[in-house]
Amino acid sequence: LSHAKQLPGMLAFYQQGQDESHQRELTILRDLPAALLQNQLFVVYQPKVELGQRKCSSAEALIRWVHPELGFVPPDEFIKLAEHSGNIALVTEWILNTVAAQLALWYQQGKHITVAVNLSAHDLTNPQLPSDIAALLKRHQLPASVLALEVTEGAVMQDPKQVIQILTELRTMGIELAIDDFGTGQSSLAYLKQLPVHEVKIDRAFIKDIEHNQDDALIVSATTQLAHSLGLKVTAEGLENRAGLAKLQQYHCDKVQGYFFSKPLTSELFSEWLQQFEDQSQEWFGQEISQ
Ligand code: C2E
Ligand code: MG
Ligand code: MG
Ligand code: MG
């Protein structure tokens, strides 16, 4: 009976927690469109390092928002909300424009970096997407090869026929396509073969303990082999330490992205990181594991 007494209090506590998170959601949804216009959001770039050549010529663009009252709002949180509320098209348009402007600057400086932008499921229902992107590239006088796009398995599964059509158009334009978070969704590599993509990104869940966890190591090794035999490149997401790097080299993983090399950086810091990496890339790999 003692907990019967506690129950009303617990309910009130639970209710209050729910109200707070509901309030937070409403604030995020209310403020996002204006925040985009006022440039409260910004983009950070995380290097993708090529293991074979030990160089970096690409990065992933990740969106950041510091809300005036809420502080840092993680992208996972506000992207999901924007998807449900129909605001995601605004976010995608904003990030594509911002990245294209940055790419144009880098391109003029002779830095030929390919930047990958994440698309949401909803973006892949828009048949105008390829022509919108073509117009954007033209406006910034950029070749299609500087832009890459990342889509999740789930986004493809919602309407495979239409999504494959859109992806095929993008690929024909010369844009690099990757399947993101691979291994966390429903699809198999056999299914991926039907998708017009160049690359699979193995989810961080399989990479983070790869040096200790024999199952994860097997999954990454087998996935890499199979992806290669299907003509796909492999990027490992979320590498944090050198022991994991040695495994990924051993499995002939093509590219690595993770805190081991760098956290996502502002465009200025990314340029600096790139310069340093070019000057001393051997030191990152270390003597003992070079093959
Ligand atoms: P994602 O596309 O899979 O991006 C990789 C996430 O892993 C990023 O989180 C990145 O900061 C994080 N990460 C990379 N290396 C490491 C590591 O070594 N350790 C750990 N702990 N984390 C690492 P972030 O920036 O919080 O983004 C989360 C997700 O939000 C992204 O996952 C993507 O799905 C979504 N997202 C971010 N920016 C955008 C965007 O502009 N548009 C859309 N539609 N989604 C975005
Ligand atoms: Mg991604
Ligand atoms: Mg991912
Ligand atoms: Mg993700």
Side-chain angles (χ1 to χ4, degrees):
L1 273 176
S2 65
H3 69 266
K5 257 207 275 177
Q6 280 171 16
L7 206 53
M10 281 169 62
L11 274 178
F13 179 70
Y14 180 66
Q15 184 71 46
Q16 191 190 346
Q18 270 208 327
D19 285 350
E20 270 166 25
S21 75
H22 187 59
Q23 191 54 52
R24 180 180 163 93
E25 287 179 8
L26 291 176
T27 305
I28 289 172
L29 285 173
R30 184 196 62 198
D31 294 348
L32 183 59
L36 286 166
L37 290 175
Q38 293 160 8
N39 281 329
Q40 250 175 49
L41 288 91
F42 59 100
V43 180
V44 285
Y45 298 85
Q46 188 178 33
K48 293 180 173 182
V49 171
E50 284 144 61
L51 293 187
Q53 297 197 55
R54 299 185 169 188
K55 66 170 200 184
C56 173
S57 58
S58 56
E60 176 173 10
L62 295 156
I63 201 163
R64 294 289 178 262
W65 184 14
V66 181
H67 185 280
E69 285 126 47
L70 301 175
F72 175 68
V73 184
D76 274 332
E77 183 181 11
F78 72 83
I79 296 277
K80 208 179 298 140
L81 290 172
E83 266 180 341
H84 291 144
S85 69
N87 275 338
I88 192 67
L90 290 178
V91 177
T92 302
E93 195 190 344
W94 183 87
I95 188 134
L96 282 170
N97 279 316
T98 307
V99 166
Q102 182 60 57
L103 280 168
L105 273 179
W106 280 334
Y107 202 71
Q108 284 155 22
Q109 295 166 2
K111 296 181 188 135
H112 292 194
I113 299 166
T114 298
V115 172
V117 169
N118 292 283
L119 293 181
S120 296
H122 182 267
D123 299 321
L124 294 169
T125 65
N126 173 15
Q128 301 298 323
L129 184 73
S131 56
D132 287 352
I133 289 179
L136 175 77
L137 292 169
K138 195 167 173 216
R139 213 160 50 241
H140 289 275
Q141 297 182 290
L142 287 167
S145 58
V146 297
L147 186 67
L149 297 169
E150 298 186 2
V151 303
T152 60
E153 301 161 64
V156 177
M157 298 298 251
Q158 53 175 353
D159 181 355
K161 220 173 144 216
Q162 191 190 19
V163 173
I164 287 172
Q165 167 68 36
I166 292 174
L167 293 179
T168 303
E169 276 182 57
L170 291 164
R171 185 185 168 116
T172 306
M173 285 162 54
I175 291 174
E176 293 260 333
L177 303 174
I179 293 290
D180 205 352
D181 304 346
F182 187 72
T184 60
Q186 303 299 314
S187 59
S188 63
L189 272 167
Y191 178 76
L192 279 193
K193 177 64 189 148
Q194 300 172 37
L195 302 180
V197 299
H198 304 86
E199 179 186 306
V200 292
K201 297 186 75 180
I202 301 179
D203 195 78
R204 188 175 88 83
F206 304 100
I207 309 298
K208 62 181 180 10
D209 300 319
I210 194 171
E211 75 274 24
H212 303 118
N213 187 315
Q214 193 54 34
D215 291 340
D216 289 345
L218 272 172
I219 289 167
V220 173
S221 153
T223 301
T224 303
Q225 270 183 50
L226 209 55
H228 282 165
S229 66
L230 294 171
L232 299 165
K233 297 272 187 212
V234 175
T235 294
E237 293 193 282
L239 175 76
E240 294 192 4
N241 57 55
R242 186 178 294 281
L245 176 66
K247 288 264 184 225
L248 296 172
Q249 287 179 303
Q250 188 192 328
Y251 304 151
H252 303 289
C253 197
D254 300 286
K255 283 191 229 170
V256 173
Q257 180 184 347
Y259 293 175
F260 174 69
F261 285 110
S262 174
K263 289 199 168 180
L265 303 167
T266 60
S267 56
E268 293 84 7
L269 289 175
F270 175 78
S271 294
E272 283 173 28
W273 179 92
L274 200 59
Q275 189 60 57
Q276 275 183 12
F277 185 76
E278 274 167 14
D279 292 345
Q280 25 183 280
S281 82
Q282 299 310 320
E283 285 167 32
W284 282 95
F285 288 87
Q287 221 45 56
E288 73 274 23
I289 49 166
S290 58
Q291 291 159 350

